[in-house]
Amino acid sequence: MKTNTLDFDAQALREKILDLAMHGKLVPQDPNDEPASVLLEKIKAEKEQLIKEKKIKKSKPLAPITDDEKPFDIPDSWEWVRLGDVGLLKNGKTPKKEDISSDNIYPYFKVKDMNNNNLYMENVKNWVGEKYSRQVMPKNTIIFPKNGGAILTAKKRILSQDSLVDLNTGGLIPYNDLNHKFIFYLFLSLDIKDFVKGSAVPTINSKKLKETLVPLPPLEEQSRIAAKIAQLFALLRKVESSTQQYAKLQTLLKSKVLDLAMRGKLVEQDPHDEPASVLLEKIKAEKRKMIKEKEIKKSKPLPPITDEEKPFDIPDSWEWVRLGNIAKRITDGTHNPPPNSHEGKQVISAINIKKGKIDFSLSNRFVSEDQFLKEDKRTNIRKGDVLLTIVGSLGNAAVVDTDKLFTAQRSVAVISSNILSKFLYYVLISAMFKTQIFSNAKGTTQKGIYLSKLINLKLPLPPLAEQNRIVDKIDNLFIY
């Protein structure tokens, strides 16, 4: 259950594969291939025939490509073309509600269908009739969102049969002389952000998209490239799926280990250990001393834990306690953050507590030295304290393992305890404790747990010597 495994960035690998493909570096060139220049002549003849048959309208010729425009070198058998040279860009059409049925001639898709399996014909629910035949996009059309936020999030797809798509969807219809799967990957390799205009309602700039430069290989090489990309993408999906399954297994095993630890079943008990009841008496004595010396304020006694409250049995040498019983001090950060001074001492919040660590790079709020002294009287965060997120992102914890002085906002609770800090950390991230946090959290837009509730949450307390053995065992298990 290694907690620092290498991240697997499947999307970055897909982009690299596409980049190599479009540079002519994914598969070898074959000198016997008919060059792309000949293919372009065939496409030109195909377009002229389509115009003659009035299937497409004659359009203004695209501007010739200059050497200065070409972004990188491509193989000699390839040609630089504009996207409008390899396919026809077409807009979708939203049908009238009364024309949509559950059984008709042409499938009808919306932008939202692109991220699920509705594009597979057996899952089609909406159909339209012959009335929309002129607006239908033919089989092998590459469809993509052209309006709204889905531009950057929805998947691009290839139609598996003639279909109607809605007004927010555009289509690139590859010419018949081209390999449509290669043109699909060619389209995927484009950074769609380069063609977006507007911020309130993002829209694809069709003119700019049509004029963008793309590399065109010979037809035979298009087929080889498309096959290679499909093979590599399939492998990536398998690795991605395995990685996700492994991550789920890690989480499950980690939860099980923590559960065993909280029940006293992870390590053996030692009859020579000083029982937790004695540790509790020592904690009480230390707190009385701190109150007498005015280091902490006297607080109202917490109610005893009844047998009905105990969620499970624990060893005889252990004790059920409330968080406030074993803490010298529990507080939260400032409820009224001072203005950001951009220098001085850092102020962290819940966003800085990630994966058991404090990541200071995730925020840039600071307070002046004078303001820090005021805030530090409340938080007094020191090495060995345990931090817990209590607003918004609930239940993330970290042990302070630095001498760096900093303070916090209200979303972070600071727990200074009389038990082993790392053991307390494992308690706080266990399912047993997190369940209590979530069940006691309040709020609608942003959940949070009050300190008065937090100090009353229950935890099992082992002898101090066993706390050390439990921590060592968990640490060793989480390495692998």
Side-chain angles (χ1 to χ4, degrees):
M1 286 177 293
K2 202 169 185 179
T3 55
N4 60 343
T5 52
L6 288 173
D7 289 331
F8 174 69
D9 192 340
Q11 184 55 32
L13 287 172
R14 288 187 184 96
E15 290 172 3
K16 183 61 178 178
I17 290 167
L18 291 172
D19 184 65
L20 289 171
M22 299 311 140
H23 279 72
K25 296 178 180 180
L26 190 65
V27 299
Q29 280 74 53
D30 186 336
N32 297 311
D33 289 345
E34 188 176 72
S37 57
V38 176
L39 178 60
L40 281 176
E41 291 300 320
K42 293 180 178 179
I43 293 172
K44 183 179 177 182
E46 181 187 346
K47 287 171 69 176
E48 289 174 353
Q49 183 62 32
L50 289 171
I51 293 169
K52 185 177 180 180
E53 294 172 358
K54 297 184 178 180
K55 291 182 178 178
I56 64 172
K57 292 181 180 179
K58 187 174 182 178
S59 57
K60 184 179 177 182
L62 295 169
I65 297 168
T66 65
D67 288 338
D68 293 338
E69 287 183 275
K70 299 172 183 176
F72 51 82
D73 292 333
I74 53 176
D76 293 338
S77 58
W78 292 34
E79 292 289 336
W80 279 107
V81 297
R82 300 195 187 276
L83 191 65
D85 291 323
V86 299
L88 177 67
L89 286 166
K90 185 174 179 178
N91 294 324
K93 169 77 174 179
T94 301
K96 294 179 180 179
K97 287 184 179 180
E98 59 266 27
D99 293 333
I100 301 173
S101 69
S102 59
D103 182 21
N104 220 310
I105 302 173
Y106 302 111
Y108 168 56
F109 300 117
K110 298 180 182 180
V111 166
K112 66 179 183 180
D113 295 321
M114 292 188 193
N115 283 339
N116 55 37
N117 289 328
N118 283 355
L119 283 184
Y120 294 107
M121 292 304 123
E122 61 269 23
N123 296 323
V124 176
K125 295 180 180 179
N126 298 318
W127 299 74
V128 294
E130 190 64 36
K131 178 179 179 180
Y132 292 93
S133 60
R134 292 179 65 85
Q135 287 84 32
V136 161
M137 303 224 183
K139 178 182 177 180
N140 297 332
T141 297
I142 299 153
I143 58 172
F144 56 92
K146 58 185 287 289
N147 294 306
I151 286 174
L152 301 179
T153 58
K155 296 178 180 178
K156 286 73 178 174
R157 298 280 195 152
I158 299 178
L159 291 177
S160 59
Q161 81 175 57
D162 297 357
S163 307
L164 183 70
V165 298
D166 71 353
L167 191 60
N168 293 318
T169 305
L172 174 64
I173 307 170
Y175 292 117
N176 290 328
D177 287 302
L178 299 169
N179 183 297
H180 70 274
K181 289 185 178 179
F182 170 80
I183 301 301
F184 173 70
Y185 292 128
L186 175 67
F187 191 82
L188 283 187
S189 72
L190 301 177
D191 189 345
I192 208 70
K193 294 193 292 293
D194 293 340
F195 309 102
V196 176
K197 60 181 180 180
S199 53
V201 182
T203 304
I204 293 290
N205 186 327
S206 298
K207 183 176 184 294
K208 191 174 181 181
L209 183 61
K210 185 178 181 180
E211 293 175 348
T212 192
L213 260 65
V214 292
L216 185 70
L219 182 60
E220 293 84 352
E221 190 170 349
Q222 290 177 32
S223 299
R224 295 196 298 274
I225 291 172
K228 189 65 176 179
I229 293 175
Q231 178 191 20
L232 293 174
F233 277 17
L235 288 172
L236 276 179
R237 285 193 295 272
K238 286 183 180 179
V239 176
E240 202 171 18
S241 176
S242 298
T243 303
Q244 290 168 354
Q245 290 174 12
Y246 178 67
K248 288 178 182 178
L249 183 60
Q250 272 191 316
T251 301
L252 180 64
L253 291 176
K254 183 175 182 179
S255 177
K256 184 62 178 177
V257 167
L258 291 174
D259 181 64
L260 291 172
M262 296 306 110
R263 293 171 183 267
K265 296 179 178 180
L266 189 64
V267 300
E268 292 184 4
Q269 280 73 53
D270 187 334
H272 299 102
D273 288 345
E274 188 176 72
S277 56
V278 177
L279 176 59
L280 275 176
E281 289 303 317
K282 290 180 178 179
I283 291 172
K284 288 178 183 177
E286 184 177 351
K287 289 176 76 171
R288 286 195 294 269
K289 181 183 177 183
M290 294 177 73
I291 291 168
K292 186 177 180 179
E293 295 175 356
K294 297 184 178 180
E295 292 181 31
I296 60 173
K297 292 181 179 180
K298 186 176 182 178
S299 56
K300 184 179 177 181
L302 297 173
I305 297 173
T306 64
D307 288 340
E308 289 76 17
E309 288 182 276
K310 300 171 183 177
F312 47 77
D313 294 332
I314 53 175
D316 293 338
S317 59
W318 291 36
E319 294 288 336
W320 277 106
V321 297
R322 299 192 188 278
L323 185 60
N325 294 140
I326 53 91
K328 292 181 284 190
R329 181 175 52 85
I330 301 179
T331 187
D332 55 6
T334 176
H335 290 219
N336 298 295
N340 190 353
S341 68
H342 301 288
E343 59 182 7
K345 296 291 191 293
Q346 192 164 358
V347 183
I348 69 163
S349 65
I351 67 170
N352 297 95
I353 313 297
K354 298 287 183 184
K355 298 180 180 179
K357 299 291 183 182
I358 306 168
D359 190 341
F360 292 99
S361 69
L362 296 176
S363 66
N364 60 354
R365 175 176 282 277
F366 294 82
V367 290
S368 66
E369 295 292 339
D370 289 343
Q371 188 65 48
F372 171 75
L373 293 175
K374 294 178 183 178
E375 299 296 334
D376 192 50
K377 289 179 181 179
R378 176 185 179 87
T379 55
N380 194 232
I381 302 171
R382 296 298 183 267
K383 191 173 185 178
D385 289 343
V386 181
L387 307 183
L388 177 69
T389 59
I390 57 172
V391 177
S393 180
L394 298 174
N396 295 323
V399 178
V400 179
D401 59 358
T402 176
D403 291 315
K404 175 180 177 175
L405 295 177
F406 60 97
T407 187
Q409 293 183 210
R410 179 182 174 263
S411 58
V412 176
V414 185
I415 307 169
S416 179
S417 78
N418 294 82
I419 68 172
L420 194 65
S421 297
K422 194 66 178 289
F423 175 77
L424 177 58
Y425 162 75
Y426 284 131
V427 170
L428 297 181
I429 65 169
S430 69
M432 176 274 306
F433 199 85
K434 281 192 172 186
T435 298
Q436 296 180 77
I437 292 176
F438 289 116
S439 63
N440 283 276
K442 302 293 182 183
T444 51
T445 56
Q446 195 174 50
K447 292 279 187 181
I449 182 169
Y450 293 109
L451 293 182
S452 58
K453 292 287 186 181
L454 185 64
I455 63 174
N456 275 284
L457 301 188
K458 304 174 294 294
L459 63 133
L461 182 69
L464 187 59
E466 191 169 348
Q467 291 177 37
N468 278 285
R469 294 198 299 274
I470 290 171
V471 166
D472 287 344
K473 186 69 171 179
I474 295 175
D475 284 349
N476 285 330
L477 288 172
F478 284 4
I479 288 173
Y480 300 103

